[in-house]
Amino acid sequence: MHPTLESMGITSFDDIDKFTLRYEGGFDVLKVYYRREKGSLLPKSKKFKFGRSTKTVLADGGQQTYRQVQEPSLVVLRAVEELGQIVGKAQETKITKDELVKELEHLERVMANKIAEIKDKIDSFN
């Protein structure tokens, strides 16, 4: 029923809560969030990175100038379509200020942990 998602290893379709798609560092990053019971050992989300294909297209018919255009992978487009069917169009709501603050706080924690990890590695050389 959802062949693209199944090929990506996603099988718990009923547990999918929402998804996000963003462009980051030359890749399309798809993140799928799951509804989980408190104390569950299953992951709350899965992240997938997709490269983009580059094509050369005619930019201006009269000038014979060409430019390179990046297109998203067909796999990510199909996955987003299938996820849209699962979660419905309610997914396309506006992001609230509270959600952005939570996302920023999470990013700050992740970065602080990563910085501490790298500093520990540096200190181990002394």
Side-chain angles (χ1 to χ4, degrees):
M1 186 152 173
H2 304 288
T4 306
L5 296 176
E6 287 175 3
S7 73
M8 294 166 51
I10 298 175
T11 55
S12 337
F13 304 118
D14 294 336
D15 294 333
I16 294 175
D17 184 37
K18 64 181 182 173
F19 67 94
T20 59
L21 178 64
R22 66 182 185 276
Y23 183 73
E24 178 181 292
F27 293 93
D28 289 309
V29 179
L30 175 65
K31 194 164 184 181
V32 179
Y33 297 87
Y34 297 95
R35 284 183 288 280
R36 299 291 188 215
E37 295 294 324
K38 191 169 187 168
S40 172
L41 297 177
L42 295 172
K44 291 182 181 179
S45 65
K46 285 186 181 179
K47 188 190 297 187
F48 303 91
K49 283 186 173 184
F50 300 91
R52 289 192 158 204
S53 61
T54 304
K55 321 193 306 192
T56 303
V57 295
L58 189 59
D60 183 19
Q63 299 290 335
Q64 293 294 323
T65 56
Y66 294 88
R67 64 183 172 129
Q68 290 195 345
V69 177
Q70 289 189 338
E71 293 182 339
S73 161
L74 287 177
V75 176
V76 75
L77 294 176
R78 290 182 187 137
V80 167
E81 183 178 327
E82 291 176 12
L83 286 165
Q85 293 169 358
I86 292 170
V87 300
K89 295 300 176 188
Q91 168 68 25
E92 299 173 9
T93 58
K94 288 187 178 179
I95 296 175
T96 66
K97 181 179 178 182
D98 289 339
E99 289 172 334
L100 288 173
V101 168
K102 284 181 185 176
E103 189 174 335
L104 183 60
E105 289 169 348
H106 173 69
L107 179 60
E108 287 173 341
R109 285 192 306 273
V110 169
M111 292 299 295
N113 289 338
K114 191 64 177 176
I115 289 169
E117 178 184 321
I118 293 171
K119 284 182 178 180
D120 288 344
K121 286 181 183 178
I122 291 171
D123 290 343
S124 71
F125 285 109
N126 295 336

